[in-house]
Short mmCIF file of all heavy atoms in Angstrom, two decimals:
data_model
loop_
_atom_site.label_atom_id
_atom_site.label_comp_id
_atom_site.label_asym_id
_atom_site.label_seq_id
_atom_site.Cartn_x
_atom_site.Cartn_y
_atom_site.Cartn_z
N LYS A 556 -8.49 35.10 -22.56
CA LYS A 556 -8.01 34.38 -23.75
C LYS A 556 -7.40 35.35 -24.75
O LYS A 556 -6.34 35.09 -25.33
CB LYS A 556 -9.16 33.61 -24.38
CG LYS A 556 -8.78 32.77 -25.60
CD LYS A 556 -9.08 33.47 -26.92
CE LYS A 556 -10.56 33.66 -27.11
NZ LYS A 556 -10.86 34.30 -28.41
N ASP A 557 -8.06 36.50 -24.97
CA ASP A 557 -7.55 37.48 -25.93
C ASP A 557 -6.18 37.99 -25.50
O ASP A 557 -5.27 38.14 -26.33
CB ASP A 557 -8.52 38.64 -26.07
CG ASP A 557 -9.83 38.24 -26.75
OD1 ASP A 557 -9.86 37.16 -27.37
OD2 ASP A 557 -10.82 39.00 -26.64
N GLU A 558 -6.02 38.27 -24.22
CA GLU A 558 -4.73 38.76 -23.72
C GLU A 558 -3.66 37.68 -23.86
O GLU A 558 -2.52 37.96 -24.23
CB GLU A 558 -4.86 39.18 -22.25
CG GLU A 558 -3.61 39.83 -21.70
CD GLU A 558 -3.79 40.34 -20.28
OE1 GLU A 558 -4.83 40.04 -19.65
OE2 GLU A 558 -2.87 41.05 -19.79
N MET A 559 -4.04 36.43 -23.57
CA MET A 559 -3.11 35.31 -23.72
C MET A 559 -2.63 35.19 -25.16
O MET A 559 -1.43 35.00 -25.42
CB MET A 559 -3.81 34.02 -23.29
CG MET A 559 -3.00 32.76 -23.50
SD MET A 559 -4.05 31.28 -23.42
CE MET A 559 -4.79 31.30 -25.07
N MET A 560 -3.56 35.30 -26.10
CA MET A 560 -3.20 35.18 -27.52
C MET A 560 -2.22 36.27 -27.96
O MET A 560 -1.28 36.02 -28.72
CB MET A 560 -4.46 35.22 -28.38
CG MET A 560 -5.34 33.99 -28.27
SD MET A 560 -4.63 32.59 -29.14
CE MET A 560 -5.95 31.39 -29.04
N VAL A 561 -2.44 37.48 -27.48
CA VAL A 561 -1.57 38.60 -27.86
C VAL A 561 -0.12 38.30 -27.48
O VAL A 561 0.81 38.58 -28.25
CB VAL A 561 -2.05 39.91 -27.19
CG1 VAL A 561 -0.98 40.99 -27.32
CG2 VAL A 561 -3.35 40.37 -27.81
N HIS A 562 0.07 37.71 -26.32
CA HIS A 562 1.42 37.50 -25.82
C HIS A 562 2.04 36.17 -26.26
O HIS A 562 3.27 36.06 -26.33
CB HIS A 562 1.43 37.54 -24.28
CG HIS A 562 1.22 38.91 -23.72
ND1 HIS A 562 -0.03 39.46 -23.53
CD2 HIS A 562 2.11 39.85 -23.30
CE1 HIS A 562 0.09 40.67 -23.02
NE2 HIS A 562 1.37 40.93 -22.86
N THR A 563 1.23 35.16 -26.55
CA THR A 563 1.79 33.81 -26.75
C THR A 563 1.54 33.23 -28.14
O THR A 563 1.97 32.11 -28.40
CB THR A 563 1.21 32.83 -25.70
OG1 THR A 563 -0.21 32.72 -25.88
CG2 THR A 563 1.52 33.31 -24.29
N ASP A 564 0.88 33.96 -29.02
CA ASP A 564 0.74 33.51 -30.41
C ASP A 564 1.95 34.02 -31.17
O ASP A 564 1.93 35.08 -31.79
CB ASP A 564 -0.56 34.06 -31.01
CG ASP A 564 -0.83 33.51 -32.41
OD1 ASP A 564 -0.19 32.50 -32.78
OD2 ASP A 564 -1.66 34.09 -33.13
N THR A 565 3.03 33.25 -31.11
CA THR A 565 4.33 33.69 -31.62
C THR A 565 4.73 32.91 -32.86
O THR A 565 4.16 31.87 -33.17
CB THR A 565 5.41 33.51 -30.54
OG1 THR A 565 5.57 32.11 -30.28
CG2 THR A 565 5.03 34.23 -29.26
N ALA A 566 5.76 33.41 -33.53
CA ALA A 566 6.27 32.70 -34.70
C ALA A 566 6.88 31.36 -34.31
O ALA A 566 6.81 30.38 -35.07
CB ALA A 566 7.31 33.56 -35.41
N ASP A 567 7.48 31.30 -33.12
CA ASP A 567 8.08 30.05 -32.65
C ASP A 567 7.02 29.02 -32.29
O ASP A 567 7.21 27.81 -32.54
CB ASP A 567 8.95 30.31 -31.41
CG ASP A 567 10.13 31.20 -31.72
OD1 ASP A 567 10.92 30.82 -32.60
OD2 ASP A 567 10.28 32.24 -31.06
N ALA A 568 5.92 29.46 -31.69
CA ALA A 568 4.89 28.54 -31.21
C ALA A 568 3.51 29.17 -31.43
O ALA A 568 2.88 29.68 -30.49
CB ALA A 568 5.11 28.23 -29.72
N PRO A 569 3.03 29.17 -32.66
CA PRO A 569 1.74 29.80 -32.95
C PRO A 569 0.56 29.00 -32.40
O PRO A 569 0.66 27.79 -32.19
CB PRO A 569 1.71 29.83 -34.48
CG PRO A 569 2.56 28.67 -34.89
CD PRO A 569 3.65 28.60 -33.87
N TRP A 570 -0.53 29.70 -32.19
CA TRP A 570 -1.79 29.05 -31.83
C TRP A 570 -2.55 28.67 -33.09
O TRP A 570 -2.57 29.44 -34.06
CB TRP A 570 -2.66 29.99 -30.99
CG TRP A 570 -2.33 30.01 -29.54
CD1 TRP A 570 -1.67 30.99 -28.86
CD2 TRP A 570 -2.65 28.99 -28.58
NE1 TRP A 570 -1.56 30.66 -27.54
CE2 TRP A 570 -2.16 29.44 -27.33
CE3 TRP A 570 -3.31 27.77 -28.64
CZ2 TRP A 570 -2.30 28.69 -26.16
CZ3 TRP A 570 -3.45 27.02 -27.48
CH2 TRP A 570 -2.95 27.48 -26.26
N PHE A 571 -3.22 27.54 -33.07
CA PHE A 571 -4.12 27.13 -34.14
C PHE A 571 -5.51 26.98 -33.54
O PHE A 571 -5.71 26.20 -32.61
CB PHE A 571 -3.66 25.82 -34.77
CG PHE A 571 -2.28 25.91 -35.38
CD1 PHE A 571 -1.18 25.38 -34.74
CD2 PHE A 571 -2.09 26.56 -36.60
CE1 PHE A 571 0.09 25.48 -35.29
CE2 PHE A 571 -0.83 26.67 -37.16
CZ PHE A 571 0.26 26.12 -36.50
N VAL A 572 -6.45 27.75 -34.05
CA VAL A 572 -7.81 27.78 -33.51
C VAL A 572 -8.68 26.75 -34.22
O VAL A 572 -8.73 26.72 -35.46
CB VAL A 572 -8.43 29.19 -33.65
CG1 VAL A 572 -9.87 29.20 -33.14
CG2 VAL A 572 -7.58 30.21 -32.88
N VAL A 573 -9.36 25.92 -33.43
CA VAL A 573 -10.25 24.89 -33.95
C VAL A 573 -11.68 25.30 -33.64
O VAL A 573 -12.07 25.37 -32.46
CB VAL A 573 -9.95 23.52 -33.32
CG1 VAL A 573 -10.87 22.44 -33.90
CG2 VAL A 573 -8.49 23.14 -33.51
N GLU A 574 -12.47 25.58 -34.66
CA GLU A 574 -13.88 25.88 -34.44
C GLU A 574 -14.58 24.59 -34.01
O GLU A 574 -14.58 23.60 -34.76
CB GLU A 574 -14.51 26.44 -35.71
CG GLU A 574 -13.93 27.77 -36.17
CD GLU A 574 -14.22 28.91 -35.20
OE1 GLU A 574 -15.15 28.77 -34.37
OE2 GLU A 574 -13.52 29.93 -35.27
N SER A 575 -15.18 24.59 -32.82
CA SER A 575 -15.61 23.31 -32.25
C SER A 575 -17.08 23.23 -31.88
O SER A 575 -17.47 22.37 -31.08
CB SER A 575 -14.75 22.98 -31.03
OG SER A 575 -14.90 23.95 -30.01
N ASP A 576 -17.92 24.10 -32.45
CA ASP A 576 -19.36 23.93 -32.22
C ASP A 576 -19.85 22.59 -32.79
O ASP A 576 -20.79 22.00 -32.27
CB ASP A 576 -20.14 25.08 -32.85
CG ASP A 576 -20.20 26.31 -31.95
OD1 ASP A 576 -19.60 26.25 -30.84
OD2 ASP A 576 -20.83 27.30 -32.32
N ASP A 577 -19.22 22.13 -33.86
CA ASP A 577 -19.51 20.82 -34.43
C ASP A 577 -18.35 19.91 -34.04
O ASP A 577 -17.24 20.03 -34.57
CB ASP A 577 -19.63 20.92 -35.95
CG ASP A 577 -20.04 19.60 -36.61
OD1 ASP A 577 -19.57 18.54 -36.15
OD2 ASP A 577 -20.80 19.63 -37.59
N LYS A 578 -18.59 18.99 -33.11
CA LYS A 578 -17.51 18.17 -32.57
C LYS A 578 -16.86 17.29 -33.63
O LYS A 578 -15.65 17.10 -33.64
CB LYS A 578 -18.03 17.30 -31.43
CG LYS A 578 -18.29 18.04 -30.14
CD LYS A 578 -18.68 17.07 -29.04
CE LYS A 578 -18.87 17.78 -27.71
NZ LYS A 578 -19.21 16.84 -26.62
N ARG A 579 -17.67 16.73 -34.52
CA ARG A 579 -17.11 15.83 -35.54
C ARG A 579 -16.14 16.59 -36.45
O ARG A 579 -15.04 16.12 -36.73
CB ARG A 579 -18.23 15.19 -36.35
CG ARG A 579 -19.05 14.17 -35.58
CD ARG A 579 -20.20 13.64 -36.43
NE ARG A 579 -20.97 12.63 -35.71
CZ ARG A 579 -22.09 12.09 -36.17
NH1 ARG A 579 -22.57 12.46 -37.36
NH2 ARG A 579 -22.72 11.18 -35.46
N ARG A 580 -16.58 17.75 -36.91
CA ARG A 580 -15.71 18.55 -37.77
C ARG A 580 -14.44 18.98 -37.02
O ARG A 580 -13.34 18.97 -37.57
CB ARG A 580 -16.45 19.79 -38.27
CG ARG A 580 -17.53 19.49 -39.29
CD ARG A 580 -18.21 20.78 -39.75
NE ARG A 580 -19.29 20.50 -40.68
CZ ARG A 580 -19.12 20.39 -41.99
NH1 ARG A 580 -17.92 20.55 -42.52
NH2 ARG A 580 -20.14 20.14 -42.78
N ALA A 581 -14.61 19.35 -35.76
CA ALA A 581 -13.47 19.81 -34.97
C ALA A 581 -12.42 18.70 -34.86
O ALA A 581 -11.21 18.95 -35.01
CB ALA A 581 -13.93 20.25 -33.59
N ARG A 582 -12.86 17.49 -34.58
CA ARG A 582 -11.92 16.38 -34.44
C ARG A 582 -11.17 16.12 -35.73
O ARG A 582 -9.93 15.99 -35.74
CB ARG A 582 -12.67 15.13 -33.99
CG ARG A 582 -13.24 15.22 -32.59
CD ARG A 582 -14.25 14.12 -32.33
NE ARG A 582 -14.90 14.29 -31.03
CZ ARG A 582 -15.99 13.64 -30.65
NH1 ARG A 582 -16.55 12.76 -31.48
NH2 ARG A 582 -16.51 13.84 -29.45
N LEU A 583 -11.90 16.04 -36.82
CA LEU A 583 -11.26 15.78 -38.11
C LEU A 583 -10.32 16.91 -38.50
O LEU A 583 -9.21 16.66 -38.98
CB LEU A 583 -12.31 15.57 -39.20
CG LEU A 583 -13.29 14.39 -39.02
CD1 LEU A 583 -14.22 14.29 -40.23
CD2 LEU A 583 -12.54 13.08 -38.81
N ASN A 584 -10.77 18.15 -38.31
CA ASN A 584 -9.95 19.29 -38.71
C ASN A 584 -8.65 19.36 -37.90
O ASN A 584 -7.58 19.63 -38.44
CB ASN A 584 -10.74 20.59 -38.53
CG ASN A 584 -11.88 20.71 -39.51
OD1 ASN A 584 -11.92 20.02 -40.53
ND2 ASN A 584 -12.84 21.57 -39.22
N MET A 585 -8.76 19.11 -36.59
CA MET A 585 -7.57 19.19 -35.75
C MET A 585 -6.57 18.10 -36.11
O MET A 585 -5.37 18.36 -36.25
CB MET A 585 -8.00 19.08 -34.27
CG MET A 585 -6.83 19.13 -33.28
SD MET A 585 -6.23 17.49 -32.90
CE MET A 585 -4.51 17.85 -32.54
N ILE A 586 -7.04 16.86 -36.24
CA ILE A 586 -6.13 15.75 -36.54
C ILE A 586 -5.50 15.94 -37.91
O ILE A 586 -4.29 15.73 -38.09
CB ILE A 586 -6.87 14.40 -36.46
CG1 ILE A 586 -7.40 14.17 -35.04
CG2 ILE A 586 -5.94 13.26 -36.87
CD1 ILE A 586 -8.28 12.95 -34.90
#
Side-chain angles (χ1 to χ4, degrees):
K556 182 262 295 182
D557 292 344
E558 186 176 10
M559 175 196 79
M560 289 286 187
V561 167
H562 289 84
T563 63
D564 186 16
T565 65
D567 296 303
W570 277 105
F571 299 103
V572 178
V573 181
E574 297 294 341
S575 62
D576 276 2
D577 184 322
K578 286 185 177 181
R579 290 177 179 174
R580 289 181 183 273
R582 293 166 186 167
L583 299 183
N584 291 342
M585 180 268 151
I586 298 173

